[in-house]
Amino acid sequence: MSVVEFMQLDLVPMLAAILACVTCGLLGTLLLLTRNSMMGDAISHAVLPGIAAGFWVTGTRASLPMLAGAMGAAVVAVVLIGLIRRLGRLEPGAAMGVVFSGLFALGLLMLVWSGADRVDLDIDCVLYGILETLIWPAAEGPASLIDPVALAALPEELWLLAGMFAVTLTCLLLFWKELRLAAFDPAFGAVIGFDPRPVRALLMLLIAAACVAAFWAVGSILVIAALIGPPAIARLLTERYAAQFLLAAAVGAAIATVGYLAAALVPAALGAAQGFNAAGMIAVMAGLGFALAAQLSPFRRGVVKQRRAAP
Amino acid sequence: MNNTAALPIPALSVRHLTVAYREAPVLWEVGWATPSSGLVAIVGPNGAGKSTLIKACLDLVPRLSGEVRIFGQPLAAVRRRVGYLPQRASVDWDFPATALDVVSMGRYPRAGWLRPLGRFQREAARAALAEVGLADFASRQIGQLSGGQQQRVFLARALALEADLYFMDEPFAGVDAATEKAIVTVLRRLADQGKAVIVVHHDLATAPHYFDHVLLLNLRAIASGPMSSAFTPDNLARAYGGRLSLLDQAVAAAAGAPGAAPRG
Ligand SMILES: Nc1ncnc2c1ncn2[C@@H]1O[C@H](COP(=O)(O)OP(=O)(O)OP(=O)(O)O)[C@@H](O)[C@H]1O
Ligand SMILES: [Mg+2]
């Protein structure tokens, strides 16, 4: 495969997958640390009606309206889950299950009604992501990376993913102390006059945004792999708070790269007519990574093996 | 800072405080005022409402009625001057946090929101950790500390707040004799600096030695005042009801002046 071909067909999807998985890894870490991973799964499914509504209103696959719709749907989902938990006295898992499967089904119906499934937002896209559609025909070689005209022709999804990553990073740095306090000991926060609800709400909004990101990259079924895989792997490898985030981001980038390359290049190199599904390979990498980390983990099963050097 | 010690305003005053979790109240018309500084004990049997009293003072459980004043002001106005050590920290012990991370949280209000924790604040947290004898455990993950050490980490976090009034719910639970002594030394230092420390304490034998002032609580405020006048066999009998073995111990401890207790 030539460089130009790689840049036209594979560079953008790979970058998109990396951005999505790094963003999801950072945000998923906060879910994992509050033992709230299921919320990621719930939101990732619940955003679908919002995405469909965004499509419905504009009639195109423009990113921003769909993002706005997804955020709205996520807010509705979080509020509904809270309501059902309180009114029905249900355990959180049950409330989430009811809400997210209901909203996901509604989203699928809306896609069919709106005719979106006949244009280019078909059910396959929803389930497996649209990585393969993010091509960059304007690329003519490495020089295109600094050519404004070629850069302007990049798929807008890539810019949106980059923007989401930047916003996530900014929020994480800005609310570093506050997010840690809200995650670790909200009761103590209450004593010192810190109300954890605003940062929690912010986190849920970011998760919704990340779900849209991951939705594009890996599809709704596998969002949970991007959201929870990297943090879970990182958690096996460190007991430091900051290191947990850095590792989750690094693992996210790694599984996206390796997963994408494995899906796109290996079959081609073998002469196979069709590549593997990138989303599937990324999720497989998350699983393999987890298995590997579990073997290497010094902290497995809460038993601390002898560490070579104390930090 | 410490001029409050000279003022006659009680560190904590509570009037007509009634709290119920369900129908039956667990605190009934409690009225109490502490001195403006010094070590104060809350004593009473299990389920007497001691923890609930503290939580109600800190707005952590809703009150049915009553008024709480801290240094003569409502809690919201003096939050910065109040510290709290819960009976059991309900945290996730697997959380990737070191002992120093936890104690540093006690410095968050001083550092200010949306600002990084500076070196000065980190050093203050380190000093608080050293004060409870855990300087060597600063970078240990909290789940890998013993129960007593965990308790001291949370005590250090409360100390790091540099409050003027502390609520400590059973700081001596599950700590060994040497640690208990170390904690009493810390509490004494706080009192000497003119701070008020309200401590839930279960050991009737040591209570008169450690504390200057006491509240005997069992649903109601049974008695309160200086140790010598309030911590009497009569009042203890009323607070503990029919629980005779405890009562005997209490009577012995209260009747036999300081020195009678083996751990004095
Ligand atoms: N969250 C709650 N919901 C319902 N009832 C509660 C709750 N917390 C405490 N209670 C009840 O309120 C009463 C007072 O409880 P509290 O924890 O204040 O007692 P305590 O004096 O601190 O006891 P201990 O010495 O065992 O710590 C008890 O009867 C208890 O069962
Ligand atoms: Mg209690």
Side-chain angles (χ1 to χ4, degrees), chain B residues 21-22 26 44-53 55 61 87 169-170 200 202 217:
Chain B
Y21 290 102
R22 304 222 167 84
V26 299
N46 287 142
K50 306 179 295 294
S51 301
T52 304
L53 173 59
K55 287 179 191 163
V61 297
Q87 184 168 4
D169 202 342
E170 304 198 17
V200 174
H202 269 300
L217 184 74

Side-chain angles (χ1 to χ4, degrees), chain A residues 72-301:
Chain A
V75 171
V76 170
V78 171
V79 170
L80 270 182
I81 289 170
L83 269 182
I84 290 181
R85 267 179 74 176
R86 227 165 302 143
L87 298 181
R89 300 245 168 113
L90 287 176
E91 53 120 352
M96 286 181 208
V98 171
V99 170
F100 88 68
S101 52
L103 285 176
F104 189 65
L106 176 68
L108 286 179
L109 285 178
M110 285 170 68
L111 281 186
V112 176
W113 288 333
S114 66
D117 63 320
R118 266 172 281 122
V119 190
D120 53 3
L121 195 69
D122 62 10
I123 306 284
D124 271 4
C125 275
V126 171
L127 299 185
Y128 302 120
I130 56 167
L131 274 187
E132 281 85 353
T133 70
L134 299 181
I135 49 173
W136 190 23
E140 285 161 355
S144 299
L145 287 175
I146 47 167
D147 172 12
V149 179
L151 287 179
L154 277 170
E156 64 166 342
E157 280 88 350
L158 189 68
W159 295 118
L160 201 70
L161 283 170
M164 216 112 74
F165 169 69
V167 169
T168 298
L169 201 61
T170 308
C171 287
L172 214 54
L173 292 176
L174 199 58
F175 299 101
W176 185 251
K177 275 188 6 266
E178 290 70 20
L179 284 165
R180 165 149 55 183
L181 183 56
F184 177 68
D185 197 352
F188 180 70
V191 173
I192 59 177
F194 164 75
D195 184 354
R197 279 171 304 184
V199 283
R200 259 196 223 140
L202 175 76
L203 177 64
M204 286 304 153
L205 283 179
L206 285 175
I207 301 271
C211 281
V212 182
F215 169 93
W216 276 317
V218 296
S220 66
I221 289 184
L222 298 176
V223 164
I224 198 71
L227 212 46
I228 297 310
I233 292 169
R235 190 64 193 84
L236 285 172
L237 300 177
T238 185
E239 301 210 296
R240 293 285 177 272
Y241 188 76
Q244 164 72 32
F245 283 89
L246 290 175
L247 269 175
V251 169
I255 62 167
T257 311
V258 177
Y260 185 83
L261 290 179
L265 303 184
V266 173
L270 294 175
Q274 213 187 347
F276 296 143
N277 175 265
M281 280 313 273
I282 291 172
V284 167
M285 288 307 149
L288 287 179
F290 189 81
L292 190 68
Q295 289 310 308
L296 298 177
S297 169
F299 316 110
R300 194 154 41 122
R301 291 179 172 271

Side-chain angles (χ1 to χ4, degrees), chain B residues 11-256:
Chain B
L12 171 73
S13 67
V14 172
R15 281 173 30 191
H16 304 294
L17 177 66
T18 298
V19 177
Y21 290 102
R22 304 222 167 84
E23 302 83 49
V26 299
L27 287 176
W28 181 255
E29 286 283 318
V30 172
W32 181 39
T34 69
S36 58
S37 68
L39 300 186
V40 180
I42 301 178
V43 172
N46 287 142
K50 306 179 295 294
S51 301
T52 304
L53 173 59
I54 290 180
K55 287 179 191 163
C57 291
L58 292 171
D59 279 348
L60 298 177
V61 297
R63 311 194 274 264
L64 278 186
S65 70
E67 190 187 72
V68 173
R69 286 281 178 276
I70 292 171
F71 298 114
Q73 290 177 284
L75 175 66
V78 287
R79 230 180 241 289
R80 284 285 201 91
R81 299 178 62 189
V82 177
Y84 173 48
L85 174 71
Q87 184 168 4
R88 251 187 315 273
S90 54
V91 300
D92 176 1
W93 296 103
D94 286 335
F95 199 91
T98 63
L100 185 61
D101 288 340
V102 174
V103 178
S104 295
M105 288 177 189
R107 302 302 302 179
Y108 284 8
R110 308 265 156 189
W113 302 119
L114 304 187
R115 292 218 188 99
L117 206 65
R119 175 181 302 179
F120 174 75
Q121 305 295 352
R122 285 224 143 229
E123 287 315 310
R126 217 176 265 283
L129 204 52
E131 182 142 40
V132 299
L134 288 180
D136 295 340
F137 295 87
S139 55
R140 185 78 72 85
Q141 194 266 335
I142 49 161
Q144 293 161 19
L145 294 165
S146 78
Q149 291 166 341
Q150 289 169 346
Q151 176 83 351
R152 279 144 74 194
V153 167
F154 283 87
L155 177 63
R157 182 174 73 177
L159 295 176
L161 288 169
E162 289 184 1
D164 294 322
L165 167 63
Y166 284 100
F167 293 91
M168 297 191 180
D169 202 342
E170 304 198 17
F172 302 118
V175 302
D176 61 23
T179 307
E180 178 161 332
K181 229 176 187 158
I183 295 178
V184 170
T185 309
V186 173
L187 299 188
R188 272 268 145 244
R189 177 187 60 79
L190 292 174
D192 292 344
Q193 291 175 347
K195 308 192 169 196
V197 188
I198 298 174
V199 177
V200 174
H201 192 59
H202 269 300
D203 187 350
L204 299 178
T206 53
H209 304 286
Y210 292 169
F211 299 98
D212 319 319
H213 203 92
V214 69
L215 166 70
L216 291 170
L217 184 74
N218 192 351
L219 177 65
R220 301 154 201 272
I222 306 289
S224 67
M227 263 299 163
S228 52
S229 62
F231 202 72
T232 63
D234 228 29
N235 286 337
L236 283 164
R238 285 202 291 147
Y240 281 84
R243 300 170 65 178
L244 280 172
S245 60
L246 269 175
L247 185 59
D248 288 341
Q249 184 193 341
V251 173

